[in-house]
């Protein structure tokens, strides 16, 4: 733990600089600062927060005011707990839970349903970004939002597979070498990530076929990520995570980091910082490459890079 776990900005601007005071106050509020008193702002002592407070300190000085940044100890457990309580987001999570519970599931306009769901997800992500000491309230909100997303899955994503309820058996990779693997054509995040996982960690000689009609899946092919496939969504796991669990790869930290991104982009849940970037890359590649094998080839480079960054080892 940081020997000085808290950082304080003490700032004072001339009273006539009302617009500057408001701009700085809004910025500090967006950072998630706790206000100890007028002009005294508290944050956990983290490098990014120090940089941000230095920025606002410079802004205060540029506006003709004075500012000081102090790094302080939590002198005792009582003070530490008191400071942490200033960042309690439980009431905000409770409001979010109330909005989730009041969600209008029966609305016939799927566009409106998606918009409302996206709003709830963004509200959750905004809360998480300011929740410096997460606890049970965040977990409860994440679970409720994930359940709502699963309930709406068939309505909003009619072409995506439905999750089944069954146990996941541990399989021997030696029995799955040189196989043909099949999934729906024009693959998105879960299918692309699953195909990468198969080729890199399960079956190096895998051959993929992309189906316009899943009913025409060859009997000798291993289907993945569609209803009735050998490998598809099970309970809360997306296909990528099911493949991980099936082939004993669930302890691989790099694969788990990728799995968290895939899960979030495919079915929602807890936000992952890298998700937006990967989502944009995949969307751009799907527009650029009309051939699914070419699309997978390009996507594999992206997943290789993510895996390298997350694990520090070659894929």
């Amino acid at each position: 733990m940081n020997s000085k776990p808290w950082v304080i900005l003490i700032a004072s601007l001339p009273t006539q600089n009302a617009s500057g005071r408001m701009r700085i106050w809004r910025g500090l509020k967006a950072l998630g600062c706790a206000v100890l008193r007028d002009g005294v702002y508290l944050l956990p002592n983290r490098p990014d927060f120090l940089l941000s407070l230095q920025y606002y300190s410079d802004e205060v000085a540029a506006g003709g005011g004075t500012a000081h940044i102090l790094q302080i100890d939590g002198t005792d457990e009582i003070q530490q707990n008191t400071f942490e309580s200033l960042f309690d987001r439980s009431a905000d999570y409770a409001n979010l839970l109330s909005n989730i519970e009041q969600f209008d599931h029966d609305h016939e306009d799927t566009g409106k349903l998606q918009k409302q769901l996206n709003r709830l997800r963004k509200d959750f992500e905004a809360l998480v970004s300011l929740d410096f000491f997460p606890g049970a309230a965040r977990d409860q909100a994440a679970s409720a939002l994930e359940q709502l997303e699963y309930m709406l899955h068939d309505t909003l994503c009619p072409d995506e597979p439905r999750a089944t309820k069954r146990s996941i058996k541990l399989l021997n990779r030696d029995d799955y070498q040189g196989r043909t693997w099949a999934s729906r054509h024009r693959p998105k995040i879960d299918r692309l990530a699953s195909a990468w996982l198969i080729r890199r960690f399960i079956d190096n000689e895998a051959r993929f076929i992309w189906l316009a009609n899943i009913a025409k899946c060859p009997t000798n092919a291993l289907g993945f990520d569609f209803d009735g496939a050998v490998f598809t969504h099970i309970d809360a796991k997306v296909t990528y995570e099911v493949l991980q669990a099936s082939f004993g790869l669930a302890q691989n930290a790099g694969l788990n980091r990728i799995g968290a991104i895939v899960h979030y982009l495919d079915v929602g849940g807890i936000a992952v910082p890298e998700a937006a970037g990967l989502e944009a890359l995949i969307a751009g590649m799907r527009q650029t490459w009309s051939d699914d094998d070419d699309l997978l080839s390009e996507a594999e480079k992206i997943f290789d890079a993510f895996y390298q960054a997350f694990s520090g080892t070659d894929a």
Side-chain angles (χ1 to χ4, degrees), residues 159-226:
D159 296 329
E160 293 295 320
R162 300 178 183 179
T164 61
K165 289 187 175 294
R166 56 184 169 87
S167 60
I168 299 176
K169 295 181 180 179
L170 186 62
L171 304 174
N172 186 341
R173 271 175 272 183
D174 291 341
D175 297 331
Y176 291 82
Q177 299 304 301
R179 302 291 297 272
T180 297
W181 300 73
S183 193
R184 291 168 294 138
H185 71 150
R186 302 310 296 146
K188 296 182 180 179
I189 183 66
D190 195 13
R191 278 166 279 163
L192 288 170
S194 294
W196 170 81
L197 183 69
I198 290 165
R199 182 168 280 163
R200 291 291 188 267
F201 294 90
I202 298 170
D203 179 3
N204 298 134
E205 302 299 322
R207 185 174 73 89
F208 294 99
I209 57 176
W210 307 103
L211 306 167
N213 183 350
I214 60 173
K216 295 183 179 180
C217 180
T219 56
N220 67 330
L222 294 168
F224 65 97
D225 203 47
F226 60 83

Side-chain angles (χ1 to χ4, degrees), residues 73-257:
D73 297 312
T75 56
D76 54 46
E77 186 176 350
I78 293 176
Q79 185 187 69
Q80 183 74 14
N81 291 338
T82 299
F83 280 177
E84 288 187 14
S85 70
L86 297 174
F87 299 93
D88 184 7
R89 311 298 183 194
S90 297
D92 297 319
Y93 282 121
N95 288 335
L96 178 62
L97 278 169
S98 177
N99 291 336
I100 292 172
E101 291 167 358
Q102 295 172 23
F103 192 93
D104 182 8
H105 305 75
D106 299 324
H107 202 287
E108 294 182 357
D109 186 342
T110 57
K112 186 173 182 179
L113 286 175
Q114 185 67 68
K115 186 176 181 179
Q116 291 174 343
L117 186 60
N118 290 344
R119 179 72 264 169
L120 289 173
R121 187 184 297 165
K122 288 179 181 178
D123 289 345
F124 175 74
E125 292 170 8
L127 263 178
V128 168
S129 71
L130 299 179
D131 190 6
F132 309 135
F133 304 98
R138 184 176 80 167
D139 294 341
Q140 186 178 2
S143 177
L145 182 57
E146 192 168 30
Q147 279 223 297
L148 177 61
E149 288 169 331
Y150 281 134
M151 287 174 62
L152 294 173
H153 182 266
D154 290 346
T155 300
L156 299 177
C157 308
D159 296 329
E160 293 295 320
R162 300 178 183 179
T164 61
K165 289 187 175 294
R166 56 184 169 87
S167 60
I168 299 176
K169 295 181 180 179
L170 186 62
L171 304 174
N172 186 341
R173 271 175 272 183
D174 291 341
D175 297 331
Y176 291 82
Q177 299 304 301
R179 302 291 297 272
T180 297
W181 300 73
S183 193
R184 291 168 294 138
H185 71 150
R186 302 310 296 146
K188 296 182 180 179
I189 183 66
D190 195 13
R191 278 166 279 163
L192 288 170
S194 294
W196 170 81
L197 183 69
I198 290 165
R199 182 168 280 163
R200 291 291 188 267
F201 294 90
I202 298 170
D203 179 3
N204 298 134
E205 302 299 322
R207 185 174 73 89
F208 294 99
I209 57 176
W210 307 103
L211 306 167
N213 183 350
I214 60 173
K216 295 183 179 180
C217 180
T219 56
N220 67 330
L222 294 168
F224 65 97
D225 203 47
F226 60 83
D227 287 337
V230 177
F231 301 99
T232 189
H233 294 206
I234 295 179
D235 294 327
K237 287 182 168 58
V238 299
T239 301
Y240 175 97
E241 295 168 311
V242 170
L243 284 163
Q244 261 195 284
S246 298
F247 291 96
L249 299 169
Q251 302 306 312
N252 185 310
L255 295 182
N256 288 343
R257 290 279 300 276

